[in-house]
Amino acid sequence: MADKYGRKKMYGVELMVIIGGTLGVVMCSTGANNSMDIYAWLIWWRVVVGIGVGADYPLSAIITSEFAPTPKRARMLASVFFMQPLGQTFGNVVSLVVIVASRNANGKDLVRAVDSMWRWVIGIGVIPGVIALAFRIAIPESPRFLLDIEDDPIKAEFDATNLFGEPTADLEFEASPRMDSLGESSSSHFKHFLEDVTPTPTTTNSWNPPPDWTRRQSRPATLNSHWKFSQKDIFQYFWNEGNWRQLAATALCWLLLDFSFYGIGLSNPQFLAKTWGDLHIKGSQPIWKTDDSSSTSIYDMFMHNATEALVILNIGSVVGSSLLIVFANHFNRVSLQKYGFLALAAIFIAVGVMYRTVHITGAVAVTLYVIAQIAFNFGPNGTTYILPAELFPTRYRASCHGISAASGKLGSVLVQIFSTYYKFGSQSLSHEGTERYGTILIVFSAAMVLGAVITHFWIPQVQERKPGEKWYGEKKSRSLEELARGRLGIRSQSATRFAGRRMSSVL
């Protein structure tokens, strides 16, 4: 829908859906005399929140990608992604504050205290959402969407000038002799933008335009003639030119990653307690119960769980995401994803073998999981978010990123189904359960290796590579317009036809 109706419009709509769904969750009730089913309402409103969050993933990425200057694009995307572990950390801190406040305020009314706690923890999340909504209302439409889809170069120029100003735009949209073919423009820096996004049908020694690449044979276009989805263009770009491999790669890598990490169960209270060596239960217990002794209060269990999650989940994820921001342009991002998958495979094998042989928990297991979180966020968790925002043309960018993100969530659903029929043993205190969980981790390592293979063969480079270049050092990112041409590059008929239609409205 963002490819059709615009990034700005959908960016505000999906956040309102998230805010409304969150408030719905917080206000779920059994009604008077149990007249309503609270679980049904919780499921409904959580689905609504999920729809909004699912839309927020691709929109946040593509808006950042389309606004960012090429040299800063990777770091800006990594900075946006950094908000995820930062938000998770903030959520755990809020949980700790709410637990302490509830313990002091509600006295012996335990049921009321617990009912208030989860509502406060979830409801407080609305506050940053409302603040973000104010900024989203003020944000202009993406200049690339206005130029490529809305076919409105005047508004694109106006918004880009207001947002960047002359100097910033000049840094991004470098001049080129090809600009001579575009004629006069009202401002020099926007001519650079047009040059950057428009392939040029000039005579060269290395490329000749297809026979149908002429203004007379292009579909007639006028200013503000909106681009519309065409089955012919979709078939040409994705199938005939082989770009379905890129979409399949970004989707499958995200699916394999989420399949494994949601399968580990790091957010499970009993799994966290077992990893720390603090799980003291006999038989089957509710998932939140980590100690069934009469001397342990529910507040203590909640405090321990929030603290343990803060260490295992948040420290590693914040460190890993911070490293990604710093080194996003210093490492090859495709290689970072590939070797990140392999590093995770090695860690999974190490932890799996440890569980199958010596059954160690405590400091060693916690350290390995923190390292895994660093590798997870410095590598595939960050790059599976960044790469789909770079690889596809403007007219398909939101759809392709959305498909990739949805595939990741499909992976999380599949692993939950899988775990229902095959007990992973992550919460079991028996040696048999621990060994079974070790086997599962080794299976997950195979998924990581498969992710590395797919990355190597199907995901193209998003940075320029020079013969003999060192593995570390500042690497120049390729422009979105260059990447949008896909596997065939300048020979792409889909790109040239699309550019020819747009050029006829600009000239």
Side-chain angles (χ1 to χ4, degrees), residues 257 260-261 264 337-351 368-369 371-381 441 444-449:
L257 186 72
S260 298
F261 259 82
I264 291 175
Q337 175 164 303
K338 177 174 65 176
Y339 292 117
F341 269 125
L342 294 176
L344 289 172
I347 294 171
F348 285 172
I349 291 173
V351 178
L368 286 173
Y369 278 122
I371 294 172
Q373 279 292 323
I374 294 173
F376 179 56
N377 287 277
F378 182 42
N381 196 35
L441 287 177
F444 287 160
S445 72
M448 298 296 94
V449 172

Side-chain angles (χ1 to χ4, degrees), residues 80-222:
V80 171
F81 184 75
F82 179 68
M83 296 300 106
Q84 184 183 77
L86 198 63
Q88 292 170 344
T89 304
F90 177 74
N92 268 327
V93 171
V94 168
S95 298
L96 289 170
V97 172
V98 168
I99 292 168
V100 172
S102 298
R103 167 180 262 169
N104 296 333
N106 289 288
K108 296 182 179 180
D109 193 348
L110 190 60
V111 174
R112 180 181 177 85
V114 174
D115 187 64
S116 298
M117 279 191 288
W118 73 265
R119 295 179 192 274
W120 274 108
V121 171
I122 294 176
I124 288 174
V126 170
I127 297 174
V130 171
I131 296 172
L133 183 60
F135 285 99
R136 293 190 184 189
I137 292 173
I139 192 174
E141 182 56 86
S142 159
R144 282 184 169 91
F145 179 85
L146 290 171
L147 185 63
D148 287 348
I149 309 302
E150 294 291 326
D151 210 1
D152 193 343
I154 296 175
K155 182 169 176 54
E157 176 184 6
F158 178 80
D159 288 347
T161 303
N162 285 340
L163 186 65
F164 297 120
E166 182 92 18
T168 305
D170 280 337
L171 288 174
E172 161 66 359
F173 310 122
E174 299 176 358
S176 166
R178 293 186 298 161
M179 282 308 299
D180 294 339
S181 65
L182 292 178
E184 295 296 326
S185 175
S186 58
S187 72
S188 61
H189 71 266
F190 194 67
K191 284 176 66 177
H192 302 159
F193 179 87
L194 292 176
E195 177 275 327
D196 195 38
V197 300
T198 308
T200 306
T202 54
T203 301
T204 66
N205 294 326
S206 59
W207 177 75
N208 292 318
D212 59 347
W213 206 109
T214 65
R215 286 184 55 184
R216 286 181 296 178
Q217 292 176 317
S218 300
R219 184 174 66 83
T222 59

Side-chain angles (χ1 to χ4, degrees), residues 151-344:
D151 210 1
D152 193 343
I154 296 175
K155 182 169 176 54
E157 176 184 6
F158 178 80
D159 288 347
T161 303
N162 285 340
L163 186 65
F164 297 120
E166 182 92 18
T168 305
D170 280 337
L171 288 174
E172 161 66 359
F173 310 122
E174 299 176 358
S176 166
R178 293 186 298 161
M179 282 308 299
D180 294 339
S181 65
L182 292 178
E184 295 296 326
S185 175
S186 58
S187 72
S188 61
H189 71 266
F190 194 67
K191 284 176 66 177
H192 302 159
F193 179 87
L194 292 176
E195 177 275 327
D196 195 38
V197 300
T198 308
T200 306
T202 54
T203 301
T204 66
N205 294 326
S206 59
W207 177 75
N208 292 318
D212 59 347
W213 206 109
T214 65
R215 286 184 55 184
R216 286 181 296 178
Q217 292 176 317
S218 300
R219 184 174 66 83
T222 59
L223 190 63
N224 300 123
S225 61
H226 296 229
W227 179 81
K228 296 181 180 179
F229 276 100
S230 164
Q231 290 185 356
K232 182 178 180 181
D233 182 66
I234 293 172
F235 189 81
Q236 172 66 27
Y237 181 79
F238 286 102
W239 186 254
N240 289 346
E241 300 183 8
N243 294 308
W244 63 269
R245 294 180 181 88
Q246 297 174 198
L247 179 58
T250 56
L252 286 173
C253 286
W254 209 326
L255 184 148
L256 291 168
L257 186 72
D258 281 10
F259 181 86
S260 298
F261 259 82
Y262 281 94
I264 291 175
L266 286 176
S267 59
N268 184 304
Q270 290 181 355
F271 171 74
L272 285 172
K274 178 182 176 180
T275 303
W276 282 85
D278 293 335
L279 184 61
H280 306 292
I281 58 174
K282 297 176 182 178
S284 179
Q285 297 288 350
I287 196 171
W288 54 266
K289 194 159 191 154
T290 57
D291 192 332
D292 55 10
S293 63
S294 57
S295 60
T296 304
S297 72
I298 193 171
Y299 297 106
D300 292 333
M301 285 187 282
F302 286 170
M303 284 289 291
H304 288 156
N305 176 247
T307 304
E308 291 164 356
L310 198 63
V311 174
I312 283 188
L313 294 174
N314 301 138
I315 289 179
S317 60
V318 168
V319 171
S321 297
S322 300
L323 290 173
L324 184 61
I325 294 173
V326 174
F327 296 107
N329 285 329
H330 288 78
F331 291 105
N332 183 295
R333 290 191 286 282
V334 176
S335 297
L336 197 61
Q337 175 164 303
K338 177 174 65 176
Y339 292 117
F341 269 125
L342 294 176
L344 289 172

Side-chain angles (χ1 to χ4, degrees), residues 246 334 387 391 455 458-463 478 483 487:
Q246 297 174 198
V334 176
L387 291 175
L391 288 171
T455 300
W458 278 4
I459 296 185
Q461 296 297 325
V462 296
Q463 292 152 286
R478 298 165 65 188
L483 292 168
R487 294 169 59 84

